[in-house]
Amino acid sequence: MAQEMTGKVVIVTGAGGNLGSAVARRFAAAGAALVLVERDAALLAELAAELGGLAAAADVTDPASVDALVARVEAERGRIDGLVHTVGGFAAGQPVHAGDLEVWDRMMNLNARSVYITAGRVARHLVERQAAGRIVAILARNAFKGTARAAAYSASKAAAQRVIESMAAELGGLGIGVNGIAPSTVDTPANRASMPNADFSKWVQPAEIAEAALFLASDAASAINGVTLEVYARA
């Protein structure tokens, strides 16, 4: 896969993060015209200077902000061909019986609401223009099974997965592919700091997730819709 995304306008959310920047670099290498999205535009300055493309500040949990983003991309780039939504986060909480609703609300907002709004708004753009496109959301292995003290995180990722599957059922007949990627633990500085005794060699690399995202966003995956691709490395 060398230049298979040439000429395609691809939005990458969370582009200032470890995973988002890896995705952005891989898509840039494949020739994509990038739209780099972060809540804090200052985080994008260096990446935008390196890769080019359009740097845009947006809050992916706010419908009005995402609507403004989509309108800007259409005005300045003329089209949208793909979305890779990397925004998400983890927060451990108390057991469910302790009633830690602050963590619940934060996880549902960041991991589920952001997918519902961002993927939904990009899909609306494509449907209204009768355009084909590809939508990829980064999920997590916890979407499949809950773990102790992570009920909010697991539920939010499961909710995001259901959103992606539902969108795939709604849009597949319109030439819009919607898929997810569920990594195991991603090898990032933050995860290493929080789990210093773990075997990092078993963790999945951001570049490996980026490669999977590129495949799902490319024409090579045109017959794939509604799947959650498991990228676990050796974890």
Side-chain angles (χ1 to χ4, degrees):
M1 293 187 179
Q3 294 289 312
E4 67 274 33
M5 301 299 291
T6 298
K8 293 191 176 183
V9 177
V10 180
I11 298 172
V12 179
T13 65
N18 290 289
L19 177 55
S21 61
V23 169
R25 288 188 174 91
R26 185 63 187 92
F27 275 72
L34 292 172
V35 179
L36 305 172
V37 179
E38 266 289 349
R39 177 180 290 185
D40 183 356
L43 292 175
L44 295 177
E46 185 175 345
L47 189 65
E50 174 191 345
L51 303 179
L54 176 64
D59 179 353
V60 295
T61 67
D62 176 26
S65 183
V66 177
D67 285 340
L69 168 67
V70 170
R72 181 183 174 189
V73 175
E74 182 177 22
E76 298 191 28
R77 293 295 183 266
R79 58 187 291 164
I80 298 173
D81 297 292
L83 164 70
V84 183
H85 181 75
T86 77
V87 171
F90 171 80
Q94 298 172 319
V96 174
H97 63 265
D100 189 354
L101 291 178
E102 186 277 329
V103 173
W104 172 270
D105 290 341
R106 180 152 50 100
M107 290 293 92
M108 293 302 292
N109 192 54
L110 182 60
N111 293 330
R113 179 182 171 91
S114 72
V115 171
Y116 191 92
I117 291 172
T118 309
R121 280 347 197 240
V122 169
R124 177 189 293 175
H125 169 91
L126 295 171
V127 170
E128 289 177 348
R129 287 150 190 79
Q130 298 182 329
R134 308 291 295 176
I135 294 172
V136 181
I138 306 303
L139 305 172
R141 184 160 58 179
N142 272 62
F144 301 112
K145 185 177 178 62
T147 54
R149 296 181 180 270
Y153 174 71
S154 299
S156 68
K157 288 297 188 178
Q161 187 181 40
R162 296 293 88 76
V163 170
I164 291 302
E165 292 168 348
S166 296
M167 290 183 67
E170 295 159 355
L171 301 170
L174 302 177
I176 302 169
V178 186
N179 297 288
I181 296 172
S184 57
T185 304
V186 183
D187 191 0
T188 66
N191 282 338
R192 287 192 177 211
S194 66
M195 294 174 276
N197 297 320
D199 183 353
F200 307 141
S201 69
K202 293 183 177 181
W203 291 359
V204 64
Q205 299 298 312
E208 294 170 326
I209 301 170
E211 200 68 44
L214 180 65
F215 167 67
L216 289 175
S218 73
D219 292 340
S222 61
I224 298 175
N225 187 42
V227 307
T228 299
L229 184 62
E230 299 172 13
V231 183
Y232 292 170
R234 296 194 297 123

